[in-house]
Amino acid sequence: MNAESDERRGTAATVVPGSVSGDGQKSERELGSRAPRFIRSSRVLHLSWQVGIFVVGLAVVGAGIVMLPLPGPGWLVIFGGMAIWATEFVWAQLVLRWTRRKVTEAAQRALDPKVRRRNIVLTAVGLVIMVVLVGIYVWKFGVVMPWKIDE
């Protein structure tokens, strides 16, 4: 999509987020720019608006990437930057829709009783294996940690 949005040509988004369409399914917003009308009316102003949104989103995503190995909510900040980009760019809106759909599917699968039972069993088996390995280590080497250097 170019700098001009569909909304400028008169096909403004009429779907309210979270609204339910006539067939009972939840409809999504139309793709495109969500810039104010006076900004969309001028091509130069709209293009500079998009550059500003891109730079701000890039800074937020960059901060999130830095927070991945460092302390901080890295993924949350990255998705926040994607949400900033999604106010203006269709590709970011599509990525966020796909992510939202996948997270919803994963949450529904996690609530399935069979999956929960399997996860509990796997967690219990993993904990037993960890306790056995720690027990073997303590039996073989004692309570002295390997990084304690007396020399």
Side-chain angles (χ1 to χ4, degrees), residues 52-69:
I53 293 291
F54 183 78
V55 169
V56 169
L58 186 63
V60 172
V61 168
I65 291 172
V66 168
M67 285 184 204
L68 286 175

Side-chain angles (χ1 to χ4, degrees), residues 13-78:
T14 57
V15 177
V16 178
S19 66
V20 178
S21 63
D23 57 358
Q25 290 184 345
K26 198 173 183 181
S27 56
E28 295 179 346
R29 271 188 165 189
E30 191 173 313
L31 298 174
S33 175
R34 291 182 179 80
R37 188 176 310 269
F38 74 92
I39 290 177
R40 290 191 315 258
S41 64
S42 168
R43 181 169 173 80
V44 173
L45 190 57
H46 191 235
L47 189 58
S48 60
W49 175 269
Q50 285 182 326
V51 168
I53 293 291
F54 183 78
V55 169
V56 169
L58 186 63
V60 172
V61 168
I65 291 172
V66 168
M67 285 184 204
L68 286 175
L70 299 176
W75 284 110
L76 186 65
V77 173
I78 289 172

